[in-house]
Amino acid sequence: MPKKRTRTKGEALLGFLILAILVLIGVMVFLQQFQFNPAVTAHRILEGGMEQFSSDLPSTLVPLPDNFTGMTPLESFTPETLYEKINGQADFYLASGFLGLKSQRYVHTDNQDMWFEVFKYDMGTKENAFAVYSQQYREDGLPLQWAEFAYYAANALFFVHGQDYMEMRASSTSDDLVAAMHEVAKKYVASHQNPKL
Amino acid sequence: MLHLIKIQNSDSVGRREFLTRCTKAGLSLTTACALAYWFYDPMAPSGRQKVDVLPGLPDYSVPEMGNRMAIVRGTDRAKTIRLALEAIGGLERYIRPRDRVLLKVNAAFASPPMLCATSHPDLVTEIARLCLKVGASSVIVADNPINDPASCFALSGIEKAAREAGAKVVLPRRDSFRYFTLEGGLLIREWPLLYAPLQSVDKVIGMAPLKDHHRSGASMTLKNWYGLLGGRRNIFHQDIHNIIKELSMLLKATFVVLDGTATMMRNGPTGGSLSDLKETGTMIVSTDPVAADAYGASLLERTLDELPFIKKAEAEGVGMSDYASLNPKILTTD
């Protein structure tokens, strides 16, 4: 009869140690499932919204005249998040090849009621940019000469620059505010002489 | 087989011992598999919080007042709304002392008041002031603009107007929403709804500017309830007329106010230029939102066939598109 081999004290200790670790891991997994991180399922929201918090972006979208400063952070929207900014108008841009929107408000340093907002729609091509420009054209708009397609209507400027369709909307029809907006638009076009087409 | 022979030939394991160990191993495996099956979840996590679906919303209407409508011409919003409210019987017949009132405004955009893309602050001030005057214990002002609600209420002038009149703006927070299913609805099913302001009031007044809308053709009092929806509500733009119909079935307001003082005739709902506006000088107040929108369509120079949501809401019994059947009082302030 062969002699039965008995386990050593060290083997038993090692066995208990491994079992204890396995039980501990099991308990941790069991407890963790009750603390599911919602960020895991929020990835789509983050993908669209992260850029507005990125420190790599310039602080202003356009060159500002004296007495104006940034009123809000530079915001960025994708085709998935455009509706958050312009709601029911989003489908109009999406149908014309919209790729992205950047927008920002600027305010007069001495008068908080004097502000304007710049919308820069990246439409992918110059043709797409012209499509949204022409479909929204205001009949009473006054043509402007510093861009191929540009006009001014009451309190707002609208123009095409390369593949971008741009709008600048003022909070009032104040002469100073409208003049500042014109200056911004002209400087922007002059400083971006070779836009993507 | 070779393995068994090796075991049998070893000097450490006998037949009995071998069977005992096999039995233990089998039991361990069975236990592990049973536990794994017990913990197995065939559905991936939905990522959504626990759904506590609401069965329905309270009825905020005043049935004894019946269907009433007033159309007042004029350019001063404070004057036209006062005259319109008198014409439908007087605000005190709708707002009782100690009533808590919600003004559901359109604050969808951080847009200046002059562009009329949002409820006009002059109108907010006057209605809030009148509600408090007839004895309302509180007036709150709410909407769910998705992008930066604080900026939308501030730059539209609504926040200041409400504050000056003694009302309070309630900004939407994460815990302001509850999941809601509309009975008989195909679209509003377990969908988050801005519920907290509705829960805490006795009367609801819908206040909408009169606007063109790229998707629905028009944004008026029925479309105004879209602002109660939370979540990725843009998906409903694919079936815009039916979502407006369902929204109209969702809530019975005390009355609605359609501000056609200046109408956004094109490039809605955002507009952007004063060139998009037309001075139409009309204030409409009605207990029937379908009638209000039907009249608004004429100011917007649209036919009812171009705005199918009006007929759809009518088919559900929400109101009457033949506004003339309400014998509206047509008045002027000038």
mmCIF file of all heavy atoms in Angstrom, chain A residues 12-51:
data_model
loop_
_atom_site.group_PDB
_atom_site.id
_atom_site.type_symbol
_atom_site.label_atom_id
_atom_site.label_comp_id
_atom_site.label_asym_id
_atom_site.label_seq_id
_atom_site.Cartn_x
_atom_site.Cartn_y
_atom_site.Cartn_z
ATOM 1 N N ALA A 12 -0.376 24.452 2.477
ATOM 2 C CA ALA A 12 -1.708 24.800 2.990
ATOM 3 C C ALA A 12 -1.861 26.313 3.124
ATOM 4 O O ALA A 12 -2.879 26.901 2.744
ATOM 5 C CB ALA A 12 -1.924 24.132 4.347
ATOM 6 N N LEU A 13 -0.830 26.947 3.628
ATOM 7 C CA LEU A 13 -0.858 28.406 3.812
ATOM 8 C C LEU A 13 -0.991 29.129 2.476
ATOM 9 O O LEU A 13 -1.792 30.058 2.312
ATOM 10 C CB LEU A 13 0.440 28.832 4.525
ATOM 11 C CG LEU A 13 0.408 30.215 5.170
ATOM 12 C CD1 LEU A 13 -0.623 30.245 6.300
ATOM 13 C CD2 LEU A 13 1.786 30.573 5.719
ATOM 14 N N LEU A 14 -0.217 28.633 1.482
ATOM 15 C CA LEU A 14 -0.263 29.228 0.139
ATOM 16 C C LEU A 14 -1.657 29.069 -0.468
ATOM 17 O O LEU A 14 -2.216 29.985 -1.074
ATOM 18 C CB LEU A 14 0.800 28.573 -0.749
ATOM 19 C CG LEU A 14 0.942 29.157 -2.157
ATOM 20 C CD1 LEU A 14 1.417 30.602 -2.080
ATOM 21 C CD2 LEU A 14 1.900 28.324 -2.989
ATOM 22 N N GLY A 15 -2.232 27.851 -0.273
ATOM 23 C CA GLY A 15 -3.566 27.583 -0.794
ATOM 24 C C GLY A 15 -4.609 28.543 -0.212
ATOM 25 O O GLY A 15 -5.416 29.122 -0.933
ATOM 26 N N PHE A 16 -4.563 28.706 1.106
ATOM 27 C CA PHE A 16 -5.501 29.608 1.775
ATOM 28 C C PHE A 16 -5.312 31.062 1.303
ATOM 29 O O PHE A 16 -6.265 31.800 1.120
ATOM 30 C CB PHE A 16 -5.337 29.523 3.300
ATOM 31 C CG PHE A 16 -6.058 28.363 3.898
ATOM 32 C CD1 PHE A 16 -5.390 27.386 4.625
ATOM 33 C CD2 PHE A 16 -7.455 28.227 3.726
ATOM 34 C CE1 PHE A 16 -6.057 26.309 5.157
ATOM 35 C CE2 PHE A 16 -8.126 27.144 4.272
ATOM 36 C CZ PHE A 16 -7.428 26.178 4.981
ATOM 37 N N LEU A 17 -4.053 31.431 1.094
ATOM 38 C CA LEU A 17 -3.742 32.791 0.649
ATOM 39 C C LEU A 17 -4.363 33.056 -0.730
ATOM 40 O O LEU A 17 -5.009 34.075 -0.970
ATOM 41 C CB LEU A 17 -2.227 33.006 0.614
ATOM 42 C CG LEU A 17 -1.761 34.423 0.341
ATOM 43 C CD1 LEU A 17 -2.172 35.345 1.487
ATOM 44 C CD2 LEU A 17 -0.248 34.479 0.149
ATOM 45 N N ILE A 18 -4.166 32.081 -1.645
ATOM 46 C CA ILE A 18 -4.728 32.235 -2.997
ATOM 47 C C ILE A 18 -6.250 32.300 -2.947
ATOM 48 O O ILE A 18 -6.885 33.144 -3.589
ATOM 49 C CB ILE A 18 -4.259 31.069 -3.909
ATOM 50 C CG1 ILE A 18 -2.757 31.202 -4.174
ATOM 51 C CG2 ILE A 18 -5.032 31.051 -5.230
ATOM 52 C CD1 ILE A 18 -2.128 29.992 -4.834
ATOM 53 N N LEU A 19 -6.849 31.422 -2.148
ATOM 54 C CA LEU A 19 -8.314 31.443 -2.019
ATOM 55 C C LEU A 19 -8.804 32.775 -1.448
ATOM 56 O O LEU A 19 -9.811 33.329 -1.894
ATOM 57 C CB LEU A 19 -8.764 30.291 -1.109
ATOM 58 C CG LEU A 19 -8.790 28.912 -1.765
ATOM 59 C CD1 LEU A 19 -9.081 27.831 -0.726
ATOM 60 C CD2 LEU A 19 -9.856 28.871 -2.859
ATOM 61 N N ALA A 20 -8.063 33.286 -0.467
ATOM 62 C CA ALA A 20 -8.452 34.558 0.154
ATOM 63 C C ALA A 20 -8.407 35.697 -0.868
ATOM 64 O O ALA A 20 -9.311 36.544 -0.926
ATOM 65 C CB ALA A 20 -7.538 34.864 1.334
ATOM 66 N N ILE A 21 -7.348 35.683 -1.716
ATOM 67 C CA ILE A 21 -7.238 36.733 -2.753
ATOM 68 C C ILE A 21 -8.386 36.629 -3.747
ATOM 69 O O ILE A 21 -8.996 37.625 -4.135
ATOM 70 C CB ILE A 21 -5.867 36.638 -3.470
ATOM 71 C CG1 ILE A 21 -4.756 37.046 -2.500
ATOM 72 C CG2 ILE A 21 -5.839 37.515 -4.717
ATOM 73 C CD1 ILE A 21 -3.345 36.772 -3.019
ATOM 74 N N LEU A 22 -8.705 35.377 -4.141
ATOM 75 C CA LEU A 22 -9.811 35.189 -5.092
ATOM 76 C C LEU A 22 -11.139 35.664 -4.511
ATOM 77 O O LEU A 22 -11.940 36.311 -5.183
ATOM 78 C CB LEU A 22 -9.903 33.711 -5.487
ATOM 79 C CG LEU A 22 -8.802 33.204 -6.419
ATOM 80 C CD1 LEU A 22 -8.897 31.704 -6.579
ATOM 81 C CD2 LEU A 22 -8.903 33.889 -7.780
ATOM 82 N N VAL A 23 -11.380 35.360 -3.248
ATOM 83 C CA VAL A 23 -12.620 35.801 -2.590
ATOM 84 C C VAL A 23 -12.663 37.326 -2.536
ATOM 85 O O VAL A 23 -13.693 37.959 -2.816
ATOM 86 C CB VAL A 23 -12.717 35.191 -1.173
ATOM 87 C CG1 VAL A 23 -13.835 35.861 -0.368
ATOM 88 C CG2 VAL A 23 -12.958 33.695 -1.264
ATOM 89 N N LEU A 24 -11.499 37.936 -2.227
ATOM 90 C CA LEU A 24 -11.421 39.404 -2.145
ATOM 91 C C LEU A 24 -11.739 40.051 -3.494
ATOM 92 O O LEU A 24 -12.508 41.014 -3.573
ATOM 93 C CB LEU A 24 -10.008 39.810 -1.685
ATOM 94 C CG LEU A 24 -9.826 41.285 -1.340
ATOM 95 C CD1 LEU A 24 -10.666 41.648 -0.113
ATOM 96 C CD2 LEU A 24 -8.359 41.594 -1.067
ATOM 97 N N ILE A 25 -11.165 39.487 -4.569
ATOM 98 C CA ILE A 25 -11.434 40.005 -5.913
ATOM 99 C C ILE A 25 -12.927 39.876 -6.237
ATOM 100 O O ILE A 25 -13.561 40.789 -6.756
ATOM 101 C CB ILE A 25 -10.576 39.273 -6.970
ATOM 102 C CG1 ILE A 25 -9.098 39.648 -6.789
ATOM 103 C CG2 ILE A 25 -11.041 39.607 -8.386
ATOM 104 C CD1 ILE A 25 -8.141 38.822 -7.615
ATOM 105 N N GLY A 26 -13.476 38.702 -5.890
ATOM 106 C CA GLY A 26 -14.903 38.474 -6.149
ATOM 107 C C GLY A 26 -15.776 39.493 -5.427
ATOM 108 O O GLY A 26 -16.716 40.035 -6.008
ATOM 109 N N VAL A 27 -15.446 39.768 -4.166
ATOM 110 C CA VAL A 27 -16.228 40.740 -3.390
ATOM 111 C C VAL A 27 -16.115 42.129 -4.010
ATOM 112 O O VAL A 27 -17.103 42.864 -4.138
ATOM 113 C CB VAL A 27 -15.746 40.755 -1.921
ATOM 114 C CG1 VAL A 27 -16.359 41.936 -1.160
ATOM 115 C CG2 VAL A 27 -16.137 39.442 -1.241
ATOM 116 N N MET A 28 -14.892 42.490 -4.451
ATOM 117 C CA MET A 28 -14.683 43.818 -5.048
ATOM 118 C C MET A 28 -15.498 43.977 -6.335
ATOM 119 O O MET A 28 -16.117 45.016 -6.574
ATOM 120 C CB MET A 28 -13.186 44.051 -5.326
ATOM 121 C CG MET A 28 -12.387 44.349 -4.065
ATOM 122 S SD MET A 28 -10.628 44.338 -4.363
ATOM 123 C CE MET A 28 -10.458 45.772 -5.379
ATOM 124 N N VAL A 29 -15.477 42.932 -7.181
ATOM 125 C CA VAL A 29 -16.253 42.984 -8.438
ATOM 126 C C VAL A 29 -17.735 43.106 -8.130
ATOM 127 O O VAL A 29 -18.457 43.904 -8.744
ATOM 128 C CB VAL A 29 -15.974 41.721 -9.294
ATOM 129 C CG1 VAL A 29 -16.964 41.635 -10.451
ATOM 130 C CG2 VAL A 29 -14.546 41.735 -9.807
ATOM 131 N N PHE A 30 -18.180 42.327 -7.118
ATOM 132 C CA PHE A 30 -19.594 42.359 -6.750
ATOM 133 C C PHE A 30 -20.011 43.759 -6.282
ATOM 134 O O PHE A 30 -21.057 44.272 -6.675
ATOM 135 C CB PHE A 30 -19.834 41.326 -5.638
ATOM 136 C CG PHE A 30 -21.277 41.208 -5.230
ATOM 137 C CD1 PHE A 30 -22.194 40.557 -6.052
ATOM 138 C CD2 PHE A 30 -21.719 41.752 -4.038
ATOM 139 C CE1 PHE A 30 -23.520 40.455 -5.688
ATOM 140 C CE2 PHE A 30 -23.048 41.654 -3.671
ATOM 141 C CZ PHE A 30 -23.953 40.996 -4.493
ATOM 142 N N LEU A 31 -19.177 44.376 -5.459
ATOM 143 C CA LEU A 31 -19.511 45.712 -4.948
ATOM 144 C C LEU A 31 -19.421 46.770 -6.035
ATOM 145 O O LEU A 31 -20.217 47.702 -6.088
ATOM 146 C CB LEU A 31 -18.587 46.081 -3.782
ATOM 147 C CG LEU A 31 -18.763 45.238 -2.515
ATOM 148 C CD1 LEU A 31 -17.744 45.638 -1.456
ATOM 149 C CD2 LEU A 31 -20.187 45.403 -1.957
ATOM 150 N N GLN A 32 -18.437 46.632 -6.936
ATOM 151 C CA GLN A 32 -18.208 47.651 -7.955
ATOM 152 C C GLN A 32 -19.385 47.779 -8.918
ATOM 153 O O GLN A 32 -19.669 48.852 -9.426
ATOM 154 C CB GLN A 32 -16.916 47.318 -8.729
ATOM 155 C CG GLN A 32 -16.425 48.412 -9.654
ATOM 156 C CD GLN A 32 -16.048 49.683 -8.894
ATOM 157 O OE1 GLN A 32 -15.650 49.622 -7.753
ATOM 158 N NE2 GLN A 32 -16.206 50.825 -9.538
ATOM 159 N N GLN A 33 -20.081 46.681 -9.153
ATOM 160 C CA GLN A 33 -21.177 46.739 -10.127
ATOM 161 C C GLN A 33 -22.311 47.651 -9.660
ATOM 162 O O GLN A 33 -23.134 48.085 -10.454
ATOM 163 C CB GLN A 33 -21.716 45.342 -10.411
ATOM 164 C CG GLN A 33 -22.470 44.732 -9.252
ATOM 165 C CD GLN A 33 -23.199 43.467 -9.647
ATOM 166 O OE1 GLN A 33 -23.516 43.259 -10.794
ATOM 167 N NE2 GLN A 33 -23.438 42.607 -8.671
ATOM 168 N N PHE A 34 -22.343 47.967 -8.368
ATOM 169 C CA PHE A 34 -23.368 48.896 -7.887
ATOM 170 C C PHE A 34 -22.940 50.355 -8.026
ATOM 171 O O PHE A 34 -23.677 51.271 -7.709
ATOM 172 C CB PHE A 34 -23.696 48.601 -6.420
ATOM 173 C CG PHE A 34 -24.322 47.252 -6.226
ATOM 174 C CD1 PHE A 34 -23.631 46.222 -5.600
ATOM 175 C CD2 PHE A 34 -25.605 46.992 -6.701
ATOM 176 C CE1 PHE A 34 -24.204 44.984 -5.434
ATOM 177 C CE2 PHE A 34 -26.177 45.744 -6.541
ATOM 178 C CZ PHE A 34 -25.476 44.724 -5.912
ATOM 179 N N GLN A 35 -21.697 50.557 -8.439
ATOM 180 C CA GLN A 35 -21.189 51.927 -8.596
ATOM 181 C C GLN A 35 -20.736 52.127 -10.034
ATOM 182 O O GLN A 35 -19.620 52.559 -10.297
ATOM 183 C CB GLN A 35 -20.019 52.156 -7.630
ATOM 184 C CG GLN A 35 -20.433 52.009 -6.194
ATOM 185 C CD GLN A 35 -19.258 51.945 -5.248
ATOM 186 O OE1 GLN A 35 -18.113 51.913 -5.650
ATOM 187 N NE2 GLN A 35 -19.548 51.914 -3.971
ATOM 188 N N PHE A 36 -21.627 51.830 -10.994
ATOM 189 C CA PHE A 36 -21.277 51.945 -12.398
ATOM 190 C C PHE A 36 -21.033 53.404 -12.770
ATOM 191 O O PHE A 36 -21.830 54.279 -12.448
ATOM 192 C CB PHE A 36 -22.416 51.379 -13.250
ATOM 193 C CG PHE A 36 -22.027 51.156 -14.672
ATOM 194 C CD1 PHE A 36 -21.260 50.066 -15.016
ATOM 195 C CD2 PHE A 36 -22.399 52.050 -15.644
ATOM 196 C CE1 PHE A 36 -20.894 49.852 -16.322
ATOM 197 C CE2 PHE A 36 -22.028 51.857 -16.953
ATOM 198 C CZ PHE A 36 -21.266 50.745 -17.294
ATOM 199 N N ASN A 37 -19.910 53.641 -13.417
ATOM 200 C CA ASN A 37 -19.546 55.014 -13.761
ATOM 201 C C ASN A 37 -20.356 55.492 -14.967
ATOM 202 O O ASN A 37 -20.191 54.982 -16.073
ATOM 203 C CB ASN A 37 -18.051 55.059 -14.090
ATOM 204 C CG ASN A 37 -17.592 56.469 -14.381
ATOM 205 O OD1 ASN A 37 -18.399 57.393 -14.363
ATOM 206 N ND2 ASN A 37 -16.311 56.614 -14.633
ATOM 207 N N PRO A 38 -21.244 56.484 -14.801
ATOM 208 C CA PRO A 38 -22.068 56.938 -15.932
ATOM 209 C C PRO A 38 -21.248 57.540 -17.067
ATOM 210 O O PRO A 38 -21.726 57.654 -18.184
ATOM 211 C CB PRO A 38 -22.993 57.985 -15.307
ATOM 212 C CG PRO A 38 -22.454 58.289 -13.966
ATOM 213 C CD PRO A 38 -21.520 57.221 -13.578
ATOM 214 N N ALA A 39 -20.017 57.948 -16.785
ATOM 215 C CA ALA A 39 -19.179 58.535 -17.840
ATOM 216 C C ALA A 39 -18.954 57.538 -18.974
ATOM 217 O O ALA A 39 -18.764 57.918 -20.129
ATOM 218 C CB ALA A 39 -17.845 58.970 -17.263
ATOM 219 N N VAL A 40 -19.008 56.251 -18.636
ATOM 220 C CA VAL A 40 -18.782 55.242 -19.662
ATOM 221 C C VAL A 40 -19.866 55.317 -20.741
ATOM 222 O O VAL A 40 -19.609 55.158 -21.921
ATOM 223 C CB VAL A 40 -18.763 53.833 -19.026
ATOM 224 C CG1 VAL A 40 -18.674 52.751 -20.091
ATOM 225 C CG2 VAL A 40 -17.621 53.724 -18.058
ATOM 226 N N THR A 41 -21.087 55.595 -20.305
ATOM 227 C CA THR A 41 -22.175 55.660 -21.282
ATOM 228 C C THR A 41 -22.392 57.069 -21.804
ATOM 229 O O THR A 41 -23.208 57.298 -22.670
ATOM 230 C CB THR A 41 -23.493 55.172 -20.662
ATOM 231 O OG1 THR A 41 -23.718 55.915 -19.467
ATOM 232 C CG2 THR A 41 -23.442 53.696 -20.362
ATOM 233 N N ALA A 42 -21.678 58.037 -21.274
ATOM 234 C CA ALA A 42 -21.838 59.430 -21.706
ATOM 235 C C ALA A 42 -20.814 59.799 -22.765
ATOM 236 O O ALA A 42 -20.648 60.959 -23.083
ATOM 237 C CB ALA A 42 -21.710 60.369 -20.514
ATOM 238 N N HIS A 43 -20.122 58.802 -23.328
ATOM 239 C CA HIS A 43 -19.011 59.111 -24.230
ATOM 240 C C HIS A 43 -19.460 59.904 -25.451
ATOM 241 O O HIS A 43 -18.736 60.738 -25.948
ATOM 242 C CB HIS A 43 -18.310 57.834 -24.665
ATOM 243 C CG HIS A 43 -19.161 56.918 -25.478
ATOM 244 N ND1 HIS A 43 -20.123 56.131 -24.904
ATOM 245 C CD2 HIS A 43 -19.211 56.693 -26.802
ATOM 246 C CE1 HIS A 43 -20.724 55.423 -25.851
ATOM 247 N NE2 HIS A 43 -20.199 55.747 -27.014
ATOM 248 N N ARG A 44 -20.689 59.674 -25.908
ATOM 249 C CA ARG A 44 -21.135 60.400 -27.113
ATOM 250 C C ARG A 44 -21.273 61.891 -26.825
ATOM 251 O O ARG A 44 -20.941 62.726 -27.633
ATOM 252 C CB ARG A 44 -22.458 59.836 -27.602
ATOM 253 C CG ARG A 44 -22.285 58.555 -28.375
ATOM 254 C CD ARG A 44 -23.583 58.119 -28.956
ATOM 255 N NE ARG A 44 -24.580 57.965 -27.913
ATOM 256 C CZ ARG A 44 -25.851 57.708 -28.145
ATOM 257 N NH1 ARG A 44 -26.278 57.618 -29.371
ATOM 258 N NH2 ARG A 44 -26.702 57.560 -27.159
ATOM 259 N N ILE A 45 -21.748 62.209 -25.648
ATOM 260 C CA ILE A 45 -21.906 63.612 -25.271
ATOM 261 C C ILE A 45 -20.528 64.262 -25.166
ATOM 262 O O ILE A 45 -20.289 65.350 -25.665
ATOM 263 C CB ILE A 45 -22.650 63.715 -23.928
ATOM 264 C CG1 ILE A 45 -24.043 63.138 -24.076
ATOM 265 C CG2 ILE A 45 -22.706 65.159 -23.447
ATOM 266 C CD1 ILE A 45 -24.732 62.878 -22.762
ATOM 267 N N LEU A 46 -19.597 63.554 -24.554
ATOM 268 C CA LEU A 46 -18.256 64.113 -24.372
ATOM 269 C C LEU A 46 -17.556 64.318 -25.704
ATOM 270 O O LEU A 46 -16.898 65.328 -25.923
ATOM 271 C CB LEU A 46 -17.416 63.178 -23.486
ATOM 272 C CG LEU A 46 -17.864 63.106 -22.024
ATOM 273 C CD1 LEU A 46 -17.086 62.043 -21.294
ATOM 274 C CD2 LEU A 46 -17.664 64.444 -21.339
ATOM 275 N N GLU A 47 -17.742 63.385 -26.624
ATOM 276 C CA GLU A 47 -17.090 63.524 -27.924
ATOM 277 C C GLU A 47 -17.479 64.831 -28.599
ATOM 278 O O GLU A 47 -16.668 65.494 -29.210
ATOM 279 C CB GLU A 47 -17.489 62.355 -28.835
ATOM 280 C CG GLU A 47 -16.707 61.092 -28.541
ATOM 281 C CD GLU A 47 -17.299 59.895 -29.265
ATOM 282 O OE1 GLU A 47 -18.200 60.085 -30.100
ATOM 283 O OE2 GLU A 47 -16.857 58.780 -28.974
ATOM 284 N N GLY A 48 -18.747 65.211 -28.456
ATOM 285 C CA GLY A 48 -19.215 66.426 -29.102
ATOM 286 C C GLY A 48 -18.867 67.684 -28.341
ATOM 287 O O GLY A 48 -18.745 68.743 -28.922
ATOM 288 N N GLY A 49 -18.720 67.572 -27.039
ATOM 289 C CA GLY A 49 -18.617 68.785 -26.254
ATOM 290 C C GLY A 49 -17.249 69.104 -25.691
ATOM 291 O O GLY A 49 -17.037 70.170 -25.143
ATOM 292 N N MET A 50 -16.307 68.186 -25.824
ATOM 293 C CA MET A 50 -15.013 68.394 -25.187
ATOM 294 C C MET A 50 -14.258 69.597 -25.723
ATOM 295 O O MET A 50 -13.570 70.281 -24.993
ATOM 296 C CB MET A 50 -14.129 67.148 -25.353
ATOM 297 C CG MET A 50 -14.436 66.049 -24.373
ATOM 298 S SD MET A 50 -14.220 66.572 -22.662
ATOM 299 C CE MET A 50 -12.443 66.472 -22.548
ATOM 300 N N GLU A 51 -14.443 69.849 -27.027
ATOM 301 C CA GLU A 51 -13.592 70.854 -27.646
ATOM 302 C C GLU A 51 -13.778 72.224 -27.010
ATOM 303 O O GLU A 51 -12.852 73.006 -26.915
ATOM 304 C CB GLU A 51 -13.883 70.930 -29.143
ATOM 305 C CG GLU A 51 -12.757 71.587 -29.907
ATOM 306 C CD GLU A 51 -13.031 71.590 -31.393
ATOM 307 O OE1 GLU A 51 -14.049 71.047 -31.832
ATOM 308 O OE2 GLU A 51 -12.215 72.167 -32.107
#
